[in-house]
Amino acid sequence: MAGNSFRQCPSSGLYFHRSAESLMKAHAVMAVVFFLIGGIFGLLVMLTRMPSVHLLSAEAFYMALSIHGTDILIFWIIFFEIAVLYFASSTLLRVRPAMPQLGWLGFILMLAGSVTTTLSFFRGNSSVMFTSYVPMPAEPIFYLGLILFAVGALVGCFLFLGTLVIAKREKTYEGSIPLVTFGALTACIIAILTIVMGAIILIPTLLWSMGYIAEIDPLVYRTIWWGLGHSSQQINVSAQVAIWYAIAAIVFGAKPMSEKVSRGAFLLYILFLQLASAHHLLVDPGLSTSWKVFNTSYAMYLAVLASMVHGLTVPGSIEVAQRKKGFTNGLFEWLRKAPWDNPVFSGMFLAMIIFGFIGGITGVVMGTEQINLIIHNTIFVPGHFHATVAVGTTLTFMAITYFLIPVLFRRELILPKLAKIQPYLFAGGMLMLILFMLGAGTLGVPRRHWDVSFSDAVMKFQFAGTAITMLGMAGVGGILAALGGAAYCLIAVGSLVFGKRLDDNASLFSSFGFPMAAPAYKVDQPDRLAMTPVESHGSEPHAAPGTFALALVFLATFVVYFFINAKYLSSLWHMS
Amino acid sequence: MSITPPSQKIWWNQPIDKIEAAWIGLALVWCLVLFLWMPYWHVFGKQNLSSESYKTTPAAFEKKTNEMISKYTVRKEVNGQMPVVAPPPGSNVYLAASKWAWNPILELKKGQSYRLHISSLDWQHGFSLQPVNMNLQILPGYETVITLTPTQTGEFGVVCNEFCGIGHHAMLGKIYVKD
């Protein structure tokens, strides 16, 4: 094997293959570009939904909302995820990537697709939202762009699998693949399933928009589309949890509490998340109650179980690592003494807490068959997925970016002080946005609505004053979050352009005031590239009482919130 | 570490830690409660969505809606444009969603049950009864039937909460409930 193709990062000890490195960089940069575009339109959407500002016209609003949803939810996240796949395969297994030329083809397809779809929005005739429900039509290039993007992403997924095969064959590691790579593999498998669902429905929809197919049944479209629409968010869950484990290892040197439990939980995602997409159809006609209950019960709750397990084992592994370092006083000294000014840690931890406590709990509540009646298509829904995706996934990706800029791009971070507060600004703003969206949704405010005062309508209806106030407060939170997002773009792009180039022996993390854990890899014979296990784990006694206490608080919150909603449901008009 | 291969090749035989096992047990019990809650509500709850629905066409549904309107219209509102329909309790009531109106206005009696049929004549719409906050997805080509019993009196708004084009924000309907 060509040893020269690799470089070892002097601070982290990670190996990067040159060709995989360029692919990672290209995907990560494009991710940030689409985050910036999607973020700007998110801000415009919010400034329109704030009743006191009401910035855009109706037409511009629905266009902005379509751009925001698609560019953030698909392009930013999937570009980043493909970069994560190259990292988790080539770098963590220290192997050359499979067919890098084909990787570039995948990248070009993704780029062509994302640009095409985004352009179709700007042309003004494709304001069909992220869901693009038929029979509402978009221009053919809208669907074409999505299909091209999906094919490109699919290429990235298969190259990830190919890289795993090469690593196995060339014996670049011993035993099983690392937990983080295993998590990435989960994400990759879900991505392939998801993209297949997308192809099944988007290809006929493209033909329909071109006039070759007369009709697409709206219920069939919804059922298959949600196999793409929700499952694509499960790629994120797997990817972000894998990154949580990676950050716990990078920052604390933490080891998984037990490989069996963590890997088992990833496996549950693969087995059950797809079917749980059925919770989008709980108030649809044409589907039987038993179908709804079946698909949203065993399937969803076993996937929920998986997230609850990761919710214990990720912070638990951090607690164990911290206690070993001597932070053993009381239940929470390990947490208090955690590096709260290191954005790699603070971003990840805030993402985990908000994802679990708000995103997880609200997701289960609205995925419950009858309770869905009080939530479906209200602004509660975007409240929920801003907790899961905007904080859970996006903030996790932001956190790992602060690690990747010095390690992958070999640049020093510009504005380290801003980087320290950025996760708090973004998470704090988002938290405010989310809580007020959830509140307004509970009071019935619809999502995707330009004017909830109904000033143009021939009839009159007024939402409760509280609901309107909450929309305004959500807007304030959204502005703070947008500032946090802008700070991220500024630091990420600024560091690539203006950051000091790091020489080989530079101390990468001194600017955070907190060192990372010891180099991940200590290899005696670097040219052999055989990966020897660093430490043992698994069978030693763990002590994570603080995490267990937090988990119990979580469970209590979950139970109380669930039954509050059940009580609310019982006050509705009777129906059967 | 999580970014290196597990040190013990046979990692699946390692014992599970006590707190992990305890948490998995607790979480599993809660998931089972959540699962059982749905069938429980079907038996004991009063808010269950019927899965009675039919394939239809916009023309067929519009025809049935118009028949009901001509039979039970009691007055007209909104500058004499919009019929207010007061069908007898127990009867079939039709509500048609189209860009960008709910037709007709309904006048129901509190505590009485109606077989409410809803469908769309064009794109997808969302039936959102406010301020009760009851939300249903309305698809063209599918006729949803719910046995509905209003439990409050007053004037209620029917907001469209599925994006259905540029006039979506003006799509508002009304239901009156009287004693």
Side-chain angles (χ1 to χ4, degrees):
Chain A
M1 196 151 73
N4 288 342
S5 309
F6 286 93
R7 73 168 175 85
Q8 186 181 20
C9 168
S11 291
S12 63
L14 293 168
Y15 276 84
F16 289 94
H17 189 277
R18 304 276 177 206
S19 55
E21 189 179 12
S22 333
L23 282 163
M24 276 180 238
K25 285 180 181 174
H27 286 86
V29 167
M30 279 325 296
V32 175
V33 169
F34 280 100
F35 177 76
L36 183 61
I37 299 171
I40 290 169
F41 283 92
L43 181 64
L44 294 176
V45 165
M46 212 163 41
L47 289 175
T48 309
R49 292 225 65 169
M50 278 178 93
S52 55
V53 183
H54 208 57
L55 182 71
L56 301 178
S57 68
E59 211 156 333
F61 170 76
Y62 293 123
M63 187 179 91
L65 190 51
S66 300
I67 298 171
H68 172 60
T70 309
D71 281 22
I72 292 274
L73 217 41
I74 299 270
F75 304 147
W76 141 251
I77 287 178
I78 302 221
F79 267 122
F80 204 98
E81 276 163 354
I82 299 293
V84 169
L85 289 187
Y86 284 112
F87 179 82
S89 55
S90 171
T91 298
L92 291 186
L93 297 179
R94 247 185 273 165
V95 66
R96 64 187 168 88
M99 298 185 271
Q101 298 85 345
L102 207 56
W104 286 107
L105 176 70
F107 174 75
I108 289 166
L109 284 171
M110 287 170 74
L111 187 59
S114 48
V115 169
T116 305
T117 296
T118 304
L119 283 180
S120 80
F121 290 132
F122 283 112
R123 284 162 57 87
N125 295 322
S126 297
S127 300
V128 290
M129 309 285 135
F130 175 62
T131 43
S132 56
Y133 287 145
V134 299
M136 180 164 45
E139 288 188 301
I141 57 164
F142 165 83
Y143 306 104
L144 183 68
L146 288 180
I147 293 167
L148 289 177
F149 184 84
V151 173
L154 206 51
V155 170
C157 288
F158 283 118
L159 293 183
F160 170 80
L161 296 177
T163 308
L164 294 192
V165 171
I166 293 176
K168 187 91 196 164
R169 197 187 297 147
E170 296 183 356
K171 295 192 172 51
T172 66
Y173 65 98
E174 286 170 18
S176 304
I177 54 174
L179 180 60
V180 171
T181 310
F182 189 84
L185 175 62
T186 309
C188 174
I189 292 171
I190 297 175
I192 292 171
L193 295 172
T194 298
I195 292 169
V196 168
M197 295 297 255
I200 292 174
I201 198 62
L202 284 174
I203 291 171
T205 309
L206 169 66
L207 296 174
W208 165 77
S209 74
M210 295 168 78
Y212 295 116
I213 290 180
E215 192 192 354
I216 303 253
D217 185 286
L219 183 62
V220 171
Y221 177 92
R222 288 173 63 83
T223 308
I224 303 174
W225 191 88
W226 278 111
L228 156 82
H230 204 92
S231 312
S232 62
Q233 308 316 313
Q234 321 298 3
I235 312 169
N236 310 342
V237 176
S238 299
Q240 92 201 18
V241 173
I243 294 175
W244 294 348
Y245 281 113
I247 289 177
I250 289 164
V251 177
F252 298 95
K255 299 167 286 182
M257 296 175 80
S258 61
E259 294 278 354
K260 180 161 54 177
V261 170
S262 297
R263 286 172 196 248
F266 275 121
L267 201 62
L268 287 178
Y269 281 153
I270 300 179
L271 294 176
F272 298 110
L273 274 179
Q274 294 290 102
L275 298 164
S277 306
H279 67 257
H280 288 272
L281 314 172
L282 289 175
V283 295
D284 278 26
L287 298 166
S288 72
T289 299
S290 49
W291 187 88
K292 288 171 182 172
V293 172
F294 184 71
N295 282 300
T296 55
S297 57
Y298 86 91
M300 190 168 89
Y301 297 133
L302 286 173
V304 167
L305 181 68
S307 287
M308 287 173 82
V309 168
H310 290 306
L312 179 90
T313 57
V314 176
S317 70
I318 292 175
E319 179 172 357
V320 171
Q322 286 281 78
R323 283 180 184 271
K324 269 195 193 150
K325 285 182 200 137
F327 299 117
T328 52
N329 287 328
L331 276 180
F332 297 116
E333 195 196 14
W334 64 276
L335 192 55
R336 276 201 317 276
K337 297 282 174 64
W340 291 101
D341 57 354
N342 177 346
V344 181
F345 166 73
S346 64
M348 167 264 187
F349 207 83
L350 291 169
M352 190 169 66
I353 294 291
I354 295 175
F355 176 86
F357 269 86
I358 303 180
I361 291 176
T362 54
V364 170
V365 167
M366 68 185 200
T368 306
E369 195 213 354
Q370 298 92 343
I371 294 178
N372 191 256
L373 277 165
I374 58 174
I375 288 166
H376 181 77
N377 271 347
T378 65
I379 203 170
F380 186 101
V381 179
H384 154 76
F385 68 67
H386 278 78
T388 54
V389 184
V391 181
T393 307
T394 296
L395 189 53
T396 297
F397 290 177
M398 287 171 169
I400 195 80
T401 305
Y402 294 121
F403 171 76
L404 292 176
I405 288 171
V407 169
L408 173 63
F409 290 93
R410 305 294 300 154
R411 299 277 188 168
E412 200 170 273
L413 282 186
I414 62 161
L415 306 170
K417 282 197 177 125
L418 184 63
K420 278 183 193 176
I421 61 161
Q422 188 274 335
Y424 297 97
L425 184 59
F426 185 75
M430 274 295 172
L431 188 61
M432 193 173 161
L433 172 87
I434 291 161
L435 291 175
F436 285 113
M437 273 185 169
L438 295 173
T442 305
L443 293 172
V445 172
R447 66 190 295 198
R448 298 172 168 176
H449 203 284
W450 176 63
D451 176 23
V452 290
S453 70
F454 304 103
S455 51
D456 291 356
V458 289
M459 291 186 214
K460 293 291 156 230
F461 176 76
Q462 273 188 327
F463 281 104
T466 332
I468 303 301
T469 311
M470 283 193 188
L471 273 183
M473 299 301 286
V476 175
I479 291 168
L480 291 176
L483 287 175
Y488 167 75
C489 291
L490 181 67
I491 296 165
V493 177
S495 299
L496 298 193
V497 182
F498 302 111
K500 204 176 105 199
R501 242 176 230 288
L502 289 164
D503 65 53
D504 279 356
N505 297 312
S507 170
L508 305 185
F509 308 112
S510 53
S511 54
F512 295 139
F514 182 83
M516 297 294 170
Y521 297 107
K522 286 176 187 156
V523 185
D524 299 330
Q525 302 156 285
D527 49 326
R528 203 183 125 231
L529 291 181
M531 209 186 277
T532 43
V534 180
E535 290 162 280
S536 69
H537 54 77
S539 48
E540 57 195 307
H542 301 300
T547 302
F548 194 64
L550 286 177
L552 291 179
V553 172
F554 170 79
L555 188 61
T557 313
F558 201 158
V559 173
V560 169
Y561 187 71
F562 183 83
F563 286 113
I564 286 175
N565 277 276
K567 177 85 176 60
Y568 180 19
L569 172 72
S570 73
S571 72
L572 257 54
W573 292 6
H574 299 169
M575 68 194 106
S576 58
Chain B
M1 287 198 290
S2 311
I3 53 174
T4 49
S7 55
Q8 298 180 15
K9 273 195 172 176
I10 315 293
W11 48 264
W12 54 89
N13 278 345
Q14 290 167 3
I16 296 180
D17 177 69
K18 264 197 306 228
I19 77 148
E20 281 188 294
W23 177 245
I24 292 170
L26 274 176
L28 188 62
V29 168
W30 174 236
C31 288
L32 285 171
V33 171
L34 290 171
F35 164 55
L36 292 173
W37 194 88
M38 290 190 284
Y40 165 83
W41 197 263
H42 273 277
V43 179
F44 298 102
K46 295 194 170 70
Q47 291 79 17
N48 285 294
L49 196 55
S50 142
S51 43
E52 187 180 348
S53 53
Y54 304 94
K55 279 290 250 179
T56 184
T57 60
F61 192 81
E62 194 170 20
K63 187 163 166 271
K64 285 194 276 187
T65 309
N66 287 336
E67 279 166 13
M68 175 200 70
I69 291 172
S70 59
K71 220 162 156 186
Y72 299 120
T73 297
V74 288
R75 61 179 183 279
K76 293 207 168 179
E77 285 189 2
V78 191
N79 307 326
Q81 301 287 310
M82 185 61 89
V84 180
V85 174
S91 67
N92 289 304
V93 179
Y94 293 86
L95 184 61
S98 59
K99 293 181 283 183
W100 287 286
W102 297 94
N103 184 39
I105 295 174
L106 299 174
E107 191 171 289
L108 309 176
K109 283 205 155 65
K110 182 186 164 185
Q112 300 290 337
S113 299
Y114 299 85
R115 274 172 63 78
L116 179 64
H117 302 238
I118 316 178
S119 187
S120 163
L121 306 183
D122 39 49
W123 292 355
Q124 298 194 24
H125 297 281
F127 172 91
S128 177
L129 183 71
Q130 296 297 338
V132 181
N133 200 18
M134 200 180 100
N135 307 282
L136 303 173
Q137 187 76 26
I138 309 303
L139 308 181
Y142 288 87
E143 184 173 337
T144 309
V145 188
I146 324 163
T147 305
L148 185 70
T149 316
T151 56
Q152 302 154 281
T153 56
E155 190 182 319
F156 300 88
V158 182
V159 174
C160 177
N161 69 4
E162 184 60 76
F163 174 66
C164 56
I166 200 72
H168 166 55
H169 60 272
M171 183 166 167
L172 202 53
K174 205 183 276 187
I175 295 180
Y176 292 105
V177 181
K178 301 202 162 164
D179 255 327

